[in-house]
PDB file of all heavy atoms in Angstrom:
ATOM      1  N   ALA W  13    -129.989 -29.205 151.588  1.00 98.00           N
ATOM      2  CA  ALA W  13    -128.543 -29.156 151.384  1.00 98.00           C
ATOM      3  C   ALA W  13    -127.805 -29.368 152.706  1.00 98.00           C
ATOM      4  O   ALA W  13    -126.820 -30.111 152.768  1.00 98.00           O
ATOM      5  CB  ALA W  13    -128.141 -27.823 150.759  1.00 98.00           C
ATOM      6  N   PHE W  14    -128.292 -28.737 153.768  1.00 98.00           N
ATOM      7  CA  PHE W  14    -127.660 -28.883 155.077  1.00 98.00           C
ATOM      8  C   PHE W  14    -127.755 -30.320 155.584  1.00 98.00           C
ATOM      9  O   PHE W  14    -126.773 -30.877 156.072  1.00 98.00           O
ATOM     10  CB  PHE W  14    -128.287 -27.917 156.084  1.00 98.00           C
ATOM     11  CG  PHE W  14    -127.623 -27.946 157.427  1.00 98.00           C
ATOM     12  CD1 PHE W  14    -126.479 -27.214 157.651  1.00 98.00           C
ATOM     13  CD2 PHE W  14    -128.135 -28.721 158.457  1.00 98.00           C
ATOM     14  CE1 PHE W  14    -125.844 -27.254 158.891  1.00 98.00           C
ATOM     15  CE2 PHE W  14    -127.508 -28.768 159.691  1.00 98.00           C
ATOM     16  CZ  PHE W  14    -126.354 -28.034 159.910  1.00 98.00           C
ATOM     17  N   LEU W  15    -128.943 -30.921 155.461  1.00 98.00           N
ATOM     18  CA  LEU W  15    -129.122 -32.299 155.925  1.00 98.00           C
ATOM     19  C   LEU W  15    -128.285 -33.278 155.109  1.00 98.00           C
ATOM     20  O   LEU W  15    -127.695 -34.214 155.670  1.00 98.00           O
ATOM     21  CB  LEU W  15    -130.601 -32.686 155.884  1.00 98.00           C
ATOM     22  CG  LEU W  15    -131.495 -31.964 156.888  1.00 98.00           C
ATOM     23  CD1 LEU W  15    -132.960 -32.332 156.653  1.00 98.00           C
ATOM     24  CD2 LEU W  15    -131.087 -32.280 158.319  1.00 98.00           C
ATOM     25  N   LEU W  16    -128.232 -33.065 153.795  1.00 98.00           N
ATOM     26  CA  LEU W  16    -127.389 -33.918 152.955  1.00 98.00           C
ATOM     27  C   LEU W  16    -125.927 -33.778 153.351  1.00 98.00           C
ATOM     28  O   LEU W  16    -125.189 -34.769 153.410  1.00 98.00           O
ATOM     29  CB  LEU W  16    -127.576 -33.572 151.483  1.00 98.00           C
ATOM     30  CG  LEU W  16    -128.855 -34.067 150.839  1.00 98.00           C
ATOM     31  CD1 LEU W  16    -129.042 -33.416 149.462  1.00 98.00           C
ATOM     32  CD2 LEU W  16    -128.856 -35.580 150.714  1.00 98.00           C
ATOM     33  N   CYS W  17    -125.500 -32.559 153.632  1.00 98.00           N
ATOM     34  CA  CYS W  17    -124.122 -32.322 154.034  1.00 98.00           C
ATOM     35  C   CYS W  17    -123.828 -32.972 155.380  1.00 98.00           C
ATOM     36  O   CYS W  17    -122.791 -33.596 155.568  1.00 98.00           O
ATOM     37  CB  CYS W  17    -123.838 -30.823 154.085  1.00 98.00           C
ATOM     38  SG  CYS W  17    -122.112 -30.410 154.386  1.00 98.00           S
ATOM     39  N   PHE W  18    -124.762 -32.831 156.323  1.00 98.00           N
ATOM     40  CA  PHE W  18    -124.552 -33.364 157.668  1.00 98.00           C
ATOM     41  C   PHE W  18    -124.467 -34.899 157.662  1.00 98.00           C
ATOM     42  O   PHE W  18    -123.605 -35.475 158.310  1.00 98.00           O
ATOM     43  CB  PHE W  18    -125.668 -32.894 158.597  1.00 98.00           C
ATOM     44  CG  PHE W  18    -125.438 -33.226 160.037  1.00 98.00           C
ATOM     45  CD1 PHE W  18    -124.598 -32.437 160.803  1.00 98.00           C
ATOM     46  CD2 PHE W  18    -126.040 -34.323 160.626  1.00 98.00           C
ATOM     47  CE1 PHE W  18    -124.366 -32.739 162.145  1.00 98.00           C
ATOM     48  CE2 PHE W  18    -125.815 -34.636 161.951  1.00 98.00           C
ATOM     49  CZ  PHE W  18    -124.976 -33.842 162.716  1.00 98.00           C
ATOM     50  N   PHE W  19    -125.387 -35.543 156.927  1.00 98.00           N
ATOM     51  CA  PHE W  19    -125.452 -37.005 156.957  1.00 98.00           C
ATOM     52  C   PHE W  19    -124.643 -37.686 155.843  1.00 98.00           C
ATOM     53  O   PHE W  19    -124.116 -38.775 156.057  1.00 98.00           O
ATOM     54  CB  PHE W  19    -126.907 -37.477 156.889  1.00 98.00           C
ATOM     55  CG  PHE W  19    -127.685 -37.143 158.134  1.00 98.00           C
ATOM     56  CD1 PHE W  19    -128.661 -36.165 158.111  1.00 98.00           C
ATOM     57  CD2 PHE W  19    -127.438 -37.788 159.331  1.00 98.00           C
ATOM     58  CE1 PHE W  19    -129.379 -35.847 159.246  1.00 98.00           C
ATOM     59  CE2 PHE W  19    -128.137 -37.480 160.478  1.00 98.00           C
ATOM     60  CZ  PHE W  19    -129.110 -36.504 160.445  1.00 98.00           C
ATOM     61  N   LEU W  20    -124.563 -37.066 154.666  1.00 98.00           N
ATOM     62  CA  LEU W  20    -123.887 -37.696 153.530  1.00 98.00           C
ATOM     63  C   LEU W  20    -122.836 -36.784 152.906  1.00 98.00           C
ATOM     64  O   LEU W  20    -122.482 -36.961 151.734  1.00 98.00           O
ATOM     65  CB  LEU W  20    -124.922 -38.093 152.461  1.00 98.00           C
ATOM     66  CG  LEU W  20    -125.971 -39.115 152.892  1.00 98.00           C
ATOM     67  CD1 LEU W  20    -127.026 -39.274 151.810  1.00 98.00           C
ATOM     68  CD2 LEU W  20    -125.332 -40.442 153.217  1.00 98.00           C
ATOM     69  N   GLY W  21    -122.349 -35.837 153.670  1.00 97.00           N
ATOM     70  CA  GLY W  21    -121.378 -34.884 153.152  1.00 97.00           C
ATOM     71  C   GLY W  21    -120.101 -35.533 152.668  1.00 97.00           C
ATOM     72  O   GLY W  21    -119.505 -35.090 151.683  1.00 97.00           O
ATOM     73  N   PHE W  22    -119.687 -36.604 153.320  1.00 97.00           N
ATOM     74  CA  PHE W  22    -118.457 -37.282 152.920  1.00 97.00           C
ATOM     75  C   PHE W  22    -118.600 -37.932 151.543  1.00 97.00           C
ATOM     76  O   PHE W  22    -117.602 -38.267 150.907  1.00 97.00           O
ATOM     77  CB  PHE W  22    -118.054 -38.328 153.967  1.00 97.00           C
ATOM     78  CG  PHE W  22    -119.020 -39.465 154.109  1.00 97.00           C
ATOM     79  CD1 PHE W  22    -118.801 -40.656 153.450  1.00 97.00           C
ATOM     80  CD2 PHE W  22    -120.155 -39.329 154.908  1.00 97.00           C
ATOM     81  CE1 PHE W  22    -119.698 -41.711 153.576  1.00 97.00           C
ATOM     82  CE2 PHE W  22    -121.048 -40.379 155.048  1.00 97.00           C
ATOM     83  CZ  PHE W  22    -120.819 -41.560 154.371  1.00 97.00           C
ATOM     84  N   LEU W  23    -119.840 -38.086 151.055  1.00 97.00           N
ATOM     85  CA  LEU W  23    -120.087 -38.600 149.702  1.00 97.00           C
ATOM     86  C   LEU W  23    -120.345 -37.473 148.699  1.00 97.00           C
ATOM     87  O   LEU W  23    -120.571 -37.736 147.523  1.00 97.00           O
ATOM     88  CB  LEU W  23    -121.291 -39.558 149.707  1.00 97.00           C
ATOM     89  CG  LEU W  23    -121.152 -40.818 150.556  1.00 97.00           C
ATOM     90  CD1 LEU W  23    -122.449 -41.593 150.570  1.00 97.00           C
ATOM     91  CD2 LEU W  23    -120.008 -41.675 150.057  1.00 97.00           C
ATOM     92  N   GLY W  24    -120.354 -36.235 149.170  1.00 97.00           N
ATOM     93  CA  GLY W  24    -120.579 -35.090 148.300  1.00 97.00           C
ATOM     94  C   GLY W  24    -122.026 -34.893 147.891  1.00 97.00           C
ATOM     95  O   GLY W  24    -122.310 -34.172 146.936  1.00 97.00           O
ATOM     96  N   ALA W  25    -122.961 -35.505 148.614  1.00 98.00           N
ATOM     97  CA  ALA W  25    -124.381 -35.464 148.241  1.00 98.00           C
ATOM     98  C   ALA W  25    -124.908 -34.035 148.149  1.00 98.00           C
ATOM     99  O   ALA W  25    -125.674 -33.708 147.231  1.00 98.00           O
ATOM    100  CB  ALA W  25    -125.210 -36.268 149.235  1.00 98.00           C
ATOM    101  N   HIS W  26    -124.520 -33.174 149.076  1.00 98.00           N
ATOM    102  CA  HIS W  26    -124.993 -31.784 149.063  1.00 98.00           C
ATOM    103  C   HIS W  26    -124.467 -31.025 147.854  1.00 98.00           C
ATOM    104  O   HIS W  26    -125.149 -30.171 147.304  1.00 98.00           O
ATOM    105  CB  HIS W  26    -124.596 -31.076 150.364  1.00 98.00           C
ATOM    106  CG  HIS W  26    -123.117 -30.990 150.591  1.00 98.00           C
ATOM    107  ND1 HIS W  26    -122.330 -32.106 150.812  1.00 98.00           N
ATOM    108  CD2 HIS W  26    -122.276 -29.930 150.605  1.00 98.00           C
ATOM    109  CE1 HIS W  26    -121.075 -31.723 150.980  1.00 98.00           C
ATOM    110  NE2 HIS W  26    -121.014 -30.402 150.850  1.00 98.00           N
ATOM    111  N   ARG W  27    -123.279 -31.345 147.399  1.00 98.00           N
ATOM    112  CA  ARG W  27    -122.704 -30.675 146.234  1.00 98.00           C
ATOM    113  C   ARG W  27    -123.391 -31.151 144.957  1.00 98.00           C
ATOM    114  O   ARG W  27    -123.634 -30.361 144.054  1.00 98.00           O
ATOM    115  CB  ARG W  27    -121.201 -30.890 146.181  1.00 98.00           C
ATOM    116  CG  ARG W  27    -120.536 -30.132 147.321  1.00 98.00           C
ATOM    117  CD  ARG W  27    -119.046 -30.054 147.166  1.00 98.00           C
ATOM    118  NE  ARG W  27    -118.544 -29.027 148.066  1.00 98.00           N
ATOM    119  CZ  ARG W  27    -118.262 -27.794 147.688  1.00 98.00           C
ATOM    120  NH1 ARG W  27    -118.419 -27.423 146.453  1.00 98.00           N
ATOM    121  NH2 ARG W  27    -117.823 -26.925 148.558  1.00 98.00           N
ATOM    122  N   THR W  35    -116.998 -30.798 142.080  1.00 97.00           N
ATOM    123  CA  THR W  35    -116.550 -30.887 143.471  1.00 97.00           C
ATOM    124  C   THR W  35    -117.295 -32.004 144.206  1.00 97.00           C
ATOM    125  O   THR W  35    -116.769 -32.551 145.172  1.00 97.00           O
ATOM    126  CB  THR W  35    -116.723 -29.554 144.221  1.00 97.00           C
ATOM    127  OG1 THR W  35    -118.073 -29.113 144.102  1.00 97.00           O
ATOM    128  CG2 THR W  35    -115.775 -28.511 143.685  1.00 97.00           C
ATOM    129  N   GLY W  36    -118.482 -32.368 143.723  1.00 97.00           N
ATOM    130  CA  GLY W  36    -119.186 -33.515 144.298  1.00 97.00           C
ATOM    131  C   GLY W  36    -118.384 -34.790 144.096  1.00 97.00           C
ATOM    132  O   GLY W  36    -118.242 -35.609 145.009  1.00 97.00           O
ATOM    133  N   TRP W  39    -115.394 -34.671 146.412  1.00 97.00           N
ATOM    134  CA  TRP W  39    -115.789 -35.021 147.785  1.00 97.00           C
ATOM    135  C   TRP W  39    -115.990 -36.534 147.889  1.00 97.00           C
ATOM    136  O   TRP W  39    -115.629 -37.129 148.880  1.00 97.00           O
ATOM    137  CB  TRP W  39    -117.067 -34.283 148.163  1.00 97.00           C
ATOM    138  CG  TRP W  39    -116.901 -33.096 149.065  1.00 97.00           C
ATOM    139  CD1 TRP W  39    -117.512 -32.907 150.261  1.00 97.00           C
ATOM    140  CD2 TRP W  39    -116.113 -31.927 148.852  1.00 97.00           C
ATOM    141  NE1 TRP W  39    -117.137 -31.697 150.795  1.00 97.00           N
ATOM    142  CE2 TRP W  39    -116.281 -31.075 149.951  1.00 97.00           C
ATOM    143  CE3 TRP W  39    -115.266 -31.510 147.832  1.00 97.00           C
ATOM    144  CZ2 TRP W  39    -115.638 -29.849 150.060  1.00 97.00           C
ATOM    145  CZ3 TRP W  39    -114.634 -30.292 147.934  1.00 97.00           C
ATOM    146  CH2 TRP W  39    -114.825 -29.491 149.046  1.00 97.00           C
ATOM    147  N   LEU W  40    -116.583 -37.146 146.862  1.00 97.00           N
ATOM    148  CA  LEU W  40    -116.826 -38.583 146.854  1.00 97.00           C
ATOM    149  C   LEU W  40    -115.516 -39.369 146.888  1.00 97.00           C
ATOM    150  O   LEU W  40    -115.367 -40.315 147.667  1.00 97.00           O
ATOM    151  CB  LEU W  40    -117.647 -38.947 145.611  1.00 97.00           C
ATOM    152  CG  LEU W  40    -118.071 -40.392 145.435  1.00 97.00           C
ATOM    153  CD1 LEU W  40    -118.983 -40.823 146.572  1.00 97.00           C
ATOM    154  CD2 LEU W  40    -118.786 -40.562 144.101  1.00 97.00           C
ATOM    155  N   LEU W  43    -113.606 -38.536 150.306  1.00 96.00           N
ATOM    156  CA  LEU W  43    -114.441 -38.601 151.506  1.00 96.00           C
ATOM    157  C   LEU W  43    -114.558 -37.228 152.163  1.00 96.00           C
ATOM    158  O   LEU W  43    -114.328 -37.045 153.356  1.00 96.00           O
ATOM    159  CB  LEU W  43    -113.936 -39.638 152.502  1.00 96.00           C
ATOM    160  CG  LEU W  43    -113.957 -41.083 152.015  1.00 96.00           C
ATOM    161  CD1 LEU W  43    -113.383 -42.015 153.062  1.00 96.00           C
ATOM    162  CD2 LEU W  43    -115.360 -41.519 151.620  1.00 96.00           C
ATOM    163  N   GLY W  44    -114.955 -36.270 151.335  1.00 95.00           N
ATOM    164  CA  GLY W  44    -115.170 -34.906 151.849  1.00 95.00           C
ATOM    165  C   GLY W  44    -113.891 -34.218 152.246  1.00 95.00           C
ATOM    166  O   GLY W  44    -113.862 -33.480 153.235  1.00 95.00           O
ATOM    167  N   ILE W  45    -112.837 -34.460 151.461  1.00 95.00           N
ATOM    168  CA  ILE W  45    -111.505 -33.919 151.752  1.00 95.00           C
ATOM    169  C   ILE W  45    -111.135 -34.244 153.213  1.00 95.00           C
ATOM    170  O   ILE W  45    -110.738 -33.392 153.999  1.00 95.00           O
ATOM    171  CB  ILE W  45    -111.406 -32.404 151.478  1.00 95.00           C
ATOM    172  CG1 ILE W  45    -111.994 -32.018 150.142  1.00 95.00           C
ATOM    173  CG2 ILE W  45    -109.962 -31.924 151.577  1.00 95.00           C
ATOM    174  CD1 ILE W  45    -111.184 -32.400 148.908  1.00 95.00           C
ATOM    175  N   GLY W  47    -113.041 -34.998 155.625  1.00 96.00           N
ATOM    176  CA  GLY W  47    -113.977 -34.479 156.616  1.00 96.00           C
ATOM    177  C   GLY W  47    -113.859 -32.981 156.831  1.00 96.00           C
ATOM    178  O   GLY W  47    -114.809 -32.340 157.281  1.00 96.00           O
ATOM    179  N   GLY W  49    -113.516 -30.618 154.508  1.00 97.00           N
ATOM    180  CA  GLY W  49    -114.352 -29.935 153.528  1.00 97.00           C
ATOM    181  C   GLY W  49    -115.822 -29.949 153.918  1.00 97.00           C
ATOM    182  O   GLY W  49    -116.540 -28.966 153.708  1.00 97.00           O
ATOM    183  N   VAL W  50    -116.259 -31.059 154.500  1.00 97.00           N
ATOM    184  CA  VAL W  50    -117.647 -31.174 154.956  1.00 97.00           C
ATOM    185  C   VAL W  50    -117.897 -30.179 156.087  1.00 97.00           C
ATOM    186  O   VAL W  50    -118.914 -29.469 156.086  1.00 97.00           O
ATOM    187  CB  VAL W  50    -117.956 -32.616 155.418  1.00 97.00           C
ATOM    188  CG1 VAL W  50    -119.341 -32.702 156.001  1.00 97.00           C
ATOM    189  CG2 VAL W  50    -117.797 -33.586 154.264  1.00 97.00           C
ATOM    190  N   LEU W  51    -116.989 -30.105 157.025  1.00 98.00           N
ATOM    191  CA  LEU W  51    -117.121 -29.169 158.146  1.00 98.00           C
ATOM    192  C   LEU W  51    -117.147 -27.726 157.649  1.00 98.00           C
ATOM    193  O   LEU W  51    -117.972 -26.927 158.096  1.00 98.00           O
ATOM    194  CB  LEU W  51    -115.976 -29.374 159.140  1.00 98.00           C
ATOM    195  CG  LEU W  51    -115.990 -28.505 160.385  1.00 98.00           C
ATOM    196  CD1 LEU W  51    -117.244 -28.769 161.203  1.00 98.00           C
ATOM    197  CD2 LEU W  51    -114.755 -28.772 161.220  1.00 98.00           C
ATOM    198  N   ASP W  53    -118.083 -26.710 154.675  1.00 98.00           N
ATOM    199  CA  ASP W  53    -119.356 -26.496 153.984  1.00 98.00           C
ATOM    200  C   ASP W  53    -120.498 -26.277 154.974  1.00 98.00           C
ATOM    201  O   ASP W  53    -121.359 -25.425 154.748  1.00 98.00           O
ATOM    202  CB  ASP W  53    -119.684 -27.673 153.065  1.00 98.00           C
ATOM    203  CG  ASP W  53    -118.906 -27.637 151.759  1.00 98.00           C
ATOM    204  OD1 ASP W  53    -118.272 -26.612 151.467  1.00 98.00           O
ATOM    205  OD2 ASP W  53    -118.950 -28.644 151.017  1.00 98.00           O
ATOM    206  N   LEU W  54    -120.522 -27.032 156.058  1.00 98.00           N
ATOM    207  CA  LEU W  54    -121.567 -26.847 157.074  1.00 98.00           C
ATOM    208  C   LEU W  54    -121.509 -25.440 157.667  1.00 98.00           C
ATOM    209  O   LEU W  54    -122.540 -24.788 157.841  1.00 98.00           O
ATOM    210  CB  LEU W  54    -121.429 -27.892 158.187  1.00 98.00           C
ATOM    211  CG  LEU W  54    -121.889 -29.307 157.846  1.00 98.00           C
ATOM    212  CD1 LEU W  54    -121.451 -30.273 158.945  1.00 98.00           C
ATOM    213  CD2 LEU W  54    -123.393 -29.364 157.647  1.00 98.00           C
TER     214      LEU W  54
END
Side-chain angles (χ1 to χ4, degrees):
F14 184 83
L15 292 174
L16 284 169
C17 187
F18 188 80
F19 291 109
L20 298 173
F22 65 97
L23 298 175
H26 62 294
R27 291 192 165 262
T35 54
W39 257 236
L40 183 62
L43 297 178
I45 313 287
V50 175
L51 182 61
D53 282 349
L54 285 169

